[in-house]
Amino acid sequence: MSQILHLTKSLTLRYPWASSPLIIAAPMRVMSGPALAVAVSRAGGLGFIGPSLKTQDVARDLEEAKNLIEQSKALQAARSSTSQTLPVGIGCQVWTDDLETAASVIAKYRPCAAWLFAPRNGQTDLDNWSRAIRAASPSTHIWIQIGTVSEARAILASTEKPDVIVVQGAEAGGHGRATDGIGFISLLPEIADLLAAQNFSIPLVAAGGIADGRGAAASFALGASGVAMGTRFLATAEARIARGYQNEILRASEGGASTTRTQLYNHLRGTFGWPEAYSPRTIINRSFVEFQAGRSFEELKVDHDEAVKKGDEAWGPQGRVATYAGASIGLVKEVKPAEEVVNELKGFVLGVFGEGVRSSL
Amino acid sequence: MSQILHLTKSLTLRYPWASSPLIIAAPMRVMSGPALAVAVSRAGGLGFIGPSLKTQDVARDLEEAKNLIEQSKALQAARSSTSQTLPVGIGCQVWTDDLETAASVIAKYRPCAAWLFAPRNGQTDLDNWSRAIRAASPSTHIWIQIGTVSEARAILASTEKPDVIVVQGAEAGGHGRATDGIGFISLLPEIADLLAAQNFSIPLVAAGGIADGRGAAASFALGASGVAMGTRFLATAEARIARGYQNEILRASEGGASTTRTQLYNHLRGTFGWPEAYSPRTIINRSFVEFQAGRSFEELKVDHDEAVKKGDEAWGPQGRVATYAGASIGLVKEVKPAEEVVNELKGFVLGVFGEGVRSSL
């Protein structure tokens, strides 16, 4: 019996290589490369390639993903059956990515989905992006990430509704809502009720704080159609991540106390101008501790730039560089192949909802 | 099939009038009176009476609860089978309640459980309270509310381990962790892993952000043995709450944006001295908005005290008084009898995990 899994089954059907329940690798900037995205899709999930430092560089990632996909019979078969869309998605950081470039890359490679987040001008920007991407590649689904009920209202009032809404809770790593975010334990059901009240059935994907089967099963119980994870996939063999960073993900625990949201590390890296609505969750290290104690930004910047030269030692409690990660870090204790992460979650969820360990539905 | 519900079944067995899955009414100060607590227990849940303004006043509430219990055959029968413990619990606000008074009241009325929270001196205070309560009433279970992994570590290192640990996530209304809290989507599994690693099997109760069957089912999927709610029970016929306050619970939505944690309302009410680790989540109204805009506390205090005289109009977006509530407010839309709240949650949870709607287990 699995009334609760009918939502994920219907979303999964849109991605013919995937099997229910749908497990998604979120598009982490730079760190979610083609190897990770393809490995997740190959395991029957849906992998997203993260935004690149420059929009045009995502073409290189998609080219590599295409080559990897051509080596997989199952993914290649799915591609033939889906108007040649690639069985991976891409993430677009709306306020910095260039729309024209993104649209032309999407037209060429046709990723199965484009996950839009962090617009500077809210729904207006999202509408422009959605229109341009749909014109460039009608088969590419639009996924929009939100973290508040207000953003859901804006989506429902728009004529460019997405194919999927990602509901990101406050526990998420990296950039999310700065001050008005909250856990999806309350947020996702409230958004689901809003959609139902207006007779919309856009699938919701839960993100933020999920790192194993328990969080995944909880998400489906709340009404999610899919489960997206970032931090858990940082600790996979396929993540495009420095060893020092990855080791810190394994070491750190107690996310409530050991992570915080702050713009400090963006500024230390020389990134300014993030829309005020967003700030990133990061593991706390010396830069933040000393900043809180009143040390000047200029001094911290000097030490930060020195630390960067040390390579893997730049991370860790005595380190100084950005270590974006979610509050679920205490649940991530070893590096695994992405395929294993996906399979473990699926097995757990199917067990919880009474479908045993059947490998596909 | 319900592997996931075995934890709640074993906790439920300790409270013979209760039926699985265990639904708990949290001890909200003053607002959780005897009528609410007994109604919840009568429905097969476990109701807690909240702390009173003065510790000795909880005796009056327990006396009334005892009378109500004597009118219920089922509860009275349960009482006979549990060394005369009352089938309701009480909450103790450790930093303000008087231990000697509390212990003597507990010795006299023997509530089935004492839920301890907000100690000034962490585990040391909790140990003293646990020892004294157990000496006063050996059959009374000790429940300890925490909001961080560190507090769980302190419990495991103590010789006075509780019977139940309540894991309160950041979405909770009223007082919770001020700065190091986080949603239980990540927190509860991490604490469960910590207990398992040290071979402890203390049941965990999830609290914070749950207001309907979806949040309850999610909690059990995460590994909870019981589910505690506060805000949802504010909107019951039995809550000891002003009409204006209750109306505001029904009206408010979008908890991430419309609530915040602040000491402002404590101070406006003349309550100072809360341990720094805690601050309360409240619905935002004019006092907070104007405070953020820079208006002086003294002016706000004058207007606050004026507003108090207006009765039910003191609450609402144009109101000025404390409106403690959780981030789940957007899920609470109507006043219901407490029994209906409990039954709806149970039915949903049993449905999700494949046990149909059998009314008892």
Side-chain angles (χ1 to χ4, degrees), chain A residues 1 4 149-150 153 171 179-186 189-190 192-193 208-209 214-215 217-218 221-222 253-257 281 327-328 330-331 351-354, chain B residues 1 4 149-150 153 171 179-186 189-190 192-193 208-209 214-215 217-218 221-222 253-257 281 327-328 330-331 351-354:
Chain A
M1 201 306 293
I4 218 75
V149 180
S150 300
R153 284 187 201 283
E171 287 73 26
T179 58
D180 55 5
I182 199 75
F184 68 72
I185 191 86
S186 303
E190 188 171 353
D193 288 348
R214 293 168 290 186
L222 285 170
S253 62
E254 311 192 18
R281 183 176 294 283
S328 64
L331 302 174
V352 163
F353 297 110
Chain B
M1 200 308 292
I4 219 74
V149 180
S150 299
R153 283 186 202 283
E171 287 73 26
T179 58
D180 55 5
I182 199 77
F184 69 71
I185 191 86
S186 303
E190 188 171 355
D193 288 347
R214 293 168 291 185
L222 285 170
S253 62
E254 311 194 16
R281 183 177 295 283
S328 64
L331 302 174
V352 163
F353 297 111

Side-chain angles (χ1 to χ4, degrees), chain A:
Chain A
M1 201 306 293
S2 176
Q3 194 58 22
I4 218 75
L5 294 182
H6 77 278
L7 291 174
T8 189
K9 283 176 194 165
S10 73
L11 178 58
T12 307
L13 286 175
R14 303 195 198 174
Y15 306 102
W17 66 91
S19 55
S20 175
L22 188 61
I23 308 299
I24 297 141
M28 296 175 287
R29 197 156 189 235
V30 180
M31 297 184 288
S32 298
L36 176 57
V38 174
V40 169
S41 290
R42 208 189 295 119
L46 169 47
F48 278 81
I49 291 170
S52 296
L53 295 182
K54 289 178 183 170
T55 308
Q56 61 265 33
D57 293 346
V58 80
R60 207 163 48 200
D61 280 352
L62 281 166
E63 182 66 32
E64 195 180 325
K66 185 165 151 281
N67 293 335
L68 291 168
I69 287 161
E70 283 165 0
Q71 292 161 35
S72 159
K73 272 191 194 164
L75 291 182
Q76 193 55 17
R79 195 181 163 201
S80 318
S81 75
T82 54
S83 319
Q84 295 296 313
T85 61
L86 286 182
V88 292
I90 65 165
C92 302
Q93 188 170 294
V94 169
W95 78 275
T96 45
D97 270 325
D98 179 67
L99 174 52
E100 207 172 313
T101 308
S104 81
V105 172
I106 289 169
K108 180 170 178 195
Y109 290 97
R110 300 204 209 164
C112 68
W115 169 321
L116 311 181
F117 64 103
R120 184 175 296 285
N121 305 300
Q123 193 59 38
T124 307
D125 287 354
L126 295 171
D127 284 347
N128 290 338
W129 275 72
S130 300
R131 251 190 303 270
I133 291 171
R134 281 173 166 149
S137 169
S139 318
T140 296
H141 294 163
I142 303 294
W143 290 38
I144 290 182
Q145 174 188 318
I146 61 175
T148 61
V149 180
S150 300
E151 291 166 290
R153 284 187 201 283
I155 285 175
L156 297 187
S158 152
T159 53
E160 286 290 337
K161 293 183 183 60
D163 299 281
V164 169
I165 296 174
V166 181
V167 178
Q168 190 204 45
E171 287 73 26
H175 286 81
R177 302 298 298 187
T179 58
D180 55 5
I182 199 75
F184 68 72
I185 191 86
S186 303
L187 182 63
L188 193 136
E190 188 171 353
I191 291 175
D193 288 348
L194 176 68
L195 265 68
Q198 298 193 24
N199 285 315
F200 288 110
S201 58
I202 306 171
L204 302 180
V205 164
I210 308 161
D212 61 23
R214 293 168 290 186
S219 304
F220 292 116
L222 285 170
S225 294
V227 161
M229 299 187 297
T231 305
R232 173 60 263 191
F233 285 114
L234 289 181
T236 57
E238 295 88 348
R240 195 156 58 183
I241 186 174
R243 183 59 57 93
Y245 193 156
Q246 195 173 57
N247 285 342
E248 180 62 357
I249 298 292
L250 302 180
R251 183 203 63 79
S253 62
E254 311 192 18
S258 66
T259 71
T260 193
R261 288 195 182 275
T262 174
Q263 284 290 353
L264 175 67
Y265 295 91
N266 274 336
H267 296 170
L268 287 171
R269 289 150 65 102
T271 302
F272 293 87
W274 262 89
E276 276 190 13
Y278 304 93
S279 70
R281 183 176 294 283
T282 182
I283 298 174
I284 292 168
N285 61 23
R286 287 180 69 184
S287 294
F288 183 75
V289 171
E290 295 175 7
F291 182 70
Q292 289 290 89
R295 204 162 164 226
S296 77
F297 178 79
E298 290 66 29
E299 285 179 25
L300 291 170
K301 171 75 176 155
V302 170
D303 285 359
H304 170 270
D305 294 350
E306 258 329 291
V308 170
K309 298 178 194 158
K310 292 185 189 162
D312 289 331
E313 288 169 43
W315 288 275
Q318 298 307 312
R320 295 190 170 273
V321 305
T323 316
Y324 296 148
S328 64
I329 41 170
L331 302 174
V332 181
K333 291 296 166 206
E334 53 177 321
V335 173
K336 295 180 179 177
E339 181 184 9
E340 198 175 317
V341 171
V342 173
N343 287 338
E344 282 180 2
L345 261 78
K346 284 189 177 178
F348 185 91
V349 171
L350 293 175
V352 163
F353 297 110
E355 308 231 1
V357 287
R358 273 190 278 156
S359 60
S360 77
L361 291 172

Side-chain angles (χ1 to χ4, degrees), chain B residues 38-346:
Chain B
V38 174
V40 169
S41 290
R42 209 190 292 121
L46 170 46
F48 278 81
I49 291 170
S52 295
L53 295 181
K54 289 178 183 172
T55 308
Q56 61 265 33
D57 293 346
V58 79
R60 209 165 44 201
D61 280 351
L62 281 165
E63 182 67 30
E64 194 181 328
K66 186 167 150 278
N67 293 335
L68 291 168
I69 288 160
E70 282 164 2
Q71 293 161 33
S72 157
K73 273 190 193 165
L75 291 182
Q76 194 54 16
R79 195 180 162 202
S80 318
S81 75
T82 55
S83 320
Q84 295 296 314
T85 61
L86 287 181
V88 292
I90 66 164
C92 302
Q93 189 170 295
V94 170
W95 79 275
T96 45
D97 270 325
D98 179 67
L99 174 51
E100 209 171 312
T101 308
S104 81
V105 172
I106 289 170
K108 180 172 177 196
Y109 289 97
R110 300 204 210 163
C112 68
W115 170 320
L116 311 181
F117 65 102
R120 183 174 298 285
N121 305 299
Q123 193 59 37
T124 307
D125 287 354
L126 295 171
D127 284 347
N128 290 338
W129 275 72
S130 301
R131 251 189 304 270
I133 291 170
R134 281 173 167 150
S137 170
S139 318
T140 296
H141 294 162
I142 303 293
W143 290 39
I144 290 182
Q145 174 189 319
I146 62 175
T148 61
V149 180
S150 299
E151 290 166 290
R153 283 186 202 283
I155 284 174
L156 297 187
S158 152
T159 53
E160 286 290 338
K161 293 183 184 59
D163 299 282
V164 168
I165 296 174
V166 180
V167 178
Q168 189 205 44
E171 287 73 26
H175 286 81
R177 301 299 298 186
T179 58
D180 55 5
I182 199 77
F184 69 71
I185 191 86
S186 303
L187 181 63
L188 193 137
E190 188 171 355
I191 291 175
D193 288 347
L194 176 69
L195 265 67
Q198 298 192 25
N199 284 314
F200 288 109
S201 57
I202 307 171
L204 303 180
V205 164
I210 307 161
D212 62 22
R214 293 168 291 185
S219 304
F220 292 116
L222 285 170
S225 294
V227 162
M229 300 188 295
T231 305
R232 173 60 265 192
F233 285 113
L234 289 181
T236 56
E238 295 88 348
R240 194 159 56 184
I241 185 173
R243 183 59 57 95
Y245 193 156
Q246 195 174 55
N247 285 343
E248 179 62 358
I249 299 292
L250 301 181
R251 185 203 63 79
S253 62
E254 311 194 16
S258 66
T259 71
T260 192
R261 287 194 182 277
T262 174
Q263 284 289 352
L264 175 66
Y265 295 91
N266 274 335
H267 296 169
L268 288 171
R269 290 150 63 102
T271 303
F272 293 87
W274 262 91
E276 275 190 14
Y278 303 93
S279 70
R281 183 177 295 283
T282 183
I283 299 175
I284 292 168
N285 61 21
R286 285 179 71 185
S287 293
F288 184 75
V289 170
E290 294 176 7
F291 182 70
Q292 290 289 92
R295 204 162 164 227
S296 78
F297 178 78
E298 290 66 28
E299 285 179 23
L300 291 170
K301 171 75 176 156
V302 170
D303 285 358
H304 170 271
D305 294 351
E306 255 333 287
V308 169
K309 299 178 193 158
K310 294 187 190 160
D312 289 333
E313 287 170 42
W315 288 275
Q318 297 306 313
R320 295 192 170 273
V321 305
T323 317
Y324 296 149
S328 64
I329 39 169
L331 302 174
V332 181
K333 293 295 164 207
E334 53 177 322
V335 174
K336 295 180 180 178
E339 182 184 10
E340 196 176 317
V341 171
V342 173
N343 286 338
E344 282 180 2
L345 260 79
K346 284 189 177 178

